[in-house]
Amino acid sequence: MSYRISLNLVENGLNFISKSIETIDKPDEDLKYSLINLHAGIQLLLKEMLYQEHWSLIFQNVETADKNKLKSGDFISVNQDTLIKRLQKISGIEFDEQLLEKMDWLRKERNKTEHYHFVVTADVLKSNIVKLFTYFIPFIKTEMIETGYISSDDERFYEIQDYLNEFDEYVSERLELIQSLLSNKEIILQCPICNQETIEFTDETDAFCYFCDKKIENFTEQYIDSFVDTYSHVMDGGEDPLNECPECELETFLCLDEYQYVCLTCGVKPTQDDLTTCNGPRCNGKLIYRRDEDVADFCGYCTDYFKHA
Ligand SMILES: [Zn+2]
Ligand SMILES: [Zn+2]
Ligand SMILES: [Zn+2]
């Protein structure tokens, strides 16, 4: 007779998640555990799916898989990246792109709690958790409830959804309040901390988030890190989303929506109508300010080249 080892992954996973959002209003140090528990809980649920595929897959290194180690828990279990890849490639599970993004946010925040002073507030955490679960709840429904990993009348799952609804209402109410403050601002950027579109951006030293209700330090770096995909253009030969700024000449000039541009360093906010590309021989089509119609538009490099040619 073959026996099954029960790891209680689903059981523990749901308990971790439920405990995590239940304690979110506790102050400081506890908040950090809320984040750690949430991350752990989601990982456990996903590991269950992999475990059902084959138990050895929850070992980071499958060659070292060993039933005795599995029983004793004495092994390095699969990390988030590998876990998701195996679910996609081996189990054929589909992940929404947004869900992957939010899970990546959670992983990064969780790692920060180990290395840095913990600064996230309950509001910021709630805002992000609401966003994460907007995608994770449907995922649990299709991949875990309909497939029978979680019982459809599991009380904790309903409890978790109840908490989330409270957060959700709270977050929407705050956003509504903030909206009136933001309505007359030229450009609103997304906040790398709370993920809401609530940043009034003046320049790199002055980016104020109305949801976080504070100035965001190192905004330029954090924004590019979180939202600007400079990596895939290198991999797929696509266009770099960041251009050289016609004002300060730093490579932080970002096109927001085909029409509106903003420099994440000096804060200039020209539109497509204000810009044109240089036709000169040296720069490979730099973005420059459009001038009078009669004057040819060349950048500084190319103008210099003509002078010395
Ligand atoms: Zn914020
Ligand atoms: Zn600039
Ligand atoms: Zn040029």
Side-chain angles (χ1 to χ4, degrees):
M1 192 184 92
S2 73
Y3 70 104
R4 292 271 325 262
I5 300 167
S6 167
L7 297 180
N8 291 324
L9 295 171
V10 167
E11 206 58 22
N12 290 334
L14 286 173
N15 284 339
F16 270 119
I17 294 174
S18 146
K19 191 172 164 47
S20 143
I21 53 185
E22 185 184 319
T23 57
I24 210 162
D25 282 318
K26 299 264 173 69
D28 308 334
E29 214 31 28
D30 286 338
L31 198 57
K32 166 174 160 176
Y33 291 106
S34 212
L35 187 66
I36 292 171
N37 286 339
L38 179 63
H39 181 260
I42 292 178
Q43 296 295 298
L44 287 171
L45 292 187
L46 295 178
K47 275 179 195 166
E48 170 69 15
M49 296 166 73
L50 209 50
Y51 180 82
Q52 295 296 335
E53 191 68 44
H54 193 272
W55 62 268
S56 65
L57 293 172
I58 68 171
F59 284 68
Q60 174 64 23
N61 191 347
V62 176
E63 286 99 84
T64 64
D66 174 332
K67 273 207 168 161
N68 288 322
K69 287 185 185 163
L70 182 70
K71 266 190 278 184
S72 62
D74 173 29
F75 64 96
I76 297 172
S77 80
V78 66
N79 66 32
Q80 178 162 318
D81 239 23
T82 313
L83 172 59
I84 290 167
K85 281 214 182 80
R86 284 184 189 163
L87 284 172
Q88 288 172 319
K89 307 249 150 122
I90 300 173
S91 313
I93 307 277
E94 279 177 33
F95 286 85
D96 187 290
E97 208 41 56
Q98 300 269 14
L99 175 58
L100 292 178
E101 258 173 47
K102 302 300 171 225
M103 280 171 52
D104 201 45
W105 166 84
L106 184 60
R107 181 184 58 79
K108 283 187 193 154
E109 278 315 308
R110 190 228 168 272
N111 290 346
K112 278 190 208 162
T113 63
E114 287 182 348
H115 305 295
Y116 308 102
H117 177 60
F118 189 67
V119 286
V120 169
T121 63
D123 279 0
V124 165
L125 214 48
K126 279 180 189 171
S127 158
N128 278 292
I129 288 174
V130 165
K131 294 208 163 183
L132 173 73
F133 276 96
T134 305
Y135 301 97
F136 196 55
I137 294 280
F139 180 87
I140 292 182
K141 281 186 180 150
T142 7
E143 303 295 349
M144 306 209 75
I145 292 180
E146 281 168 26
T147 51
Y149 296 144
I150 297 177
S151 150
S152 62
D153 51 13
D154 190 299
E155 264 176 43
R156 278 154 316 170
F157 185 61
Y158 288 104
E159 203 180 278
I160 290 169
Q161 290 189 84
D162 280 346
Y163 281 122
L164 288 171
N165 288 341
E166 271 173 44
F167 293 180
D168 198 13
E169 274 166 36
Y170 171 77
V171 170
S172 330
E173 259 171 50
R174 278 211 55 196
L175 281 176
E176 215 166 290
L177 265 170
I178 292 167
Q179 227 48 51
S180 60
L181 295 169
L182 288 173
S183 59
N184 59 346
K185 304 287 185 275
E186 221 178 334
I187 284 180
I188 307 299
L189 295 178
Q190 193 174 358
C191 172
I193 311 294
C194 66
N195 266 312
Q196 299 291 351
E197 306 247 344
T198 43
I199 292 259
E200 180 185 9
F201 181 68
T202 310
D203 60 45
E204 66 178 332
T205 60
D206 194 3
F208 188 86
C209 176
Y210 283 85
F211 192 92
C212 295
D213 198 23
K214 65 171 190 185
K215 210 163 107 172
I216 307 299
E217 301 296 329
N218 302 321
F219 174 80
T220 307
E221 198 187 321
Q222 295 205 63
Y223 184 91
I224 292 174
D225 226 38
S226 307
F227 306 126
V228 182
D229 187 4
T230 53
Y231 181 70
S232 63
H233 94 275
V234 179
M235 301 303 288
D236 328 329
E239 232 168 81
D240 192 337
L242 290 172
N243 289 292
E244 187 180 308
C245 172
E247 188 76 31
C248 72
E249 300 192 335
L250 288 171
E251 290 274 339
T252 51
F253 195 58
L254 179 70
C255 181
L256 288 176
D257 57 3
E258 305 284 303
Y259 182 72
Q260 181 66 60
Y261 287 77
V262 63
C263 174
L264 296 170
T265 307
C266 69
V268 290
K269 304 172 179 77
T271 65
Q272 188 72 58
D273 296 338
D274 306 319
L275 298 166
T276 185
T277 47
C278 172
N279 286 314
R282 289 194 62 195
C283 71
N284 203 9
K286 253 155 64 114
L287 282 171
I288 50 174
Y289 285 120
R290 190 187 295 276
R291 281 169 292 187
D292 286 341
E293 278 176 20
D294 314 331
V295 187
D297 294 310
F298 294 116
C299 73
Y301 297 130
C302 297
T303 312
D304 269 0
Y305 172 81
F306 289 129
K307 275 187 197 152
H308 298 106

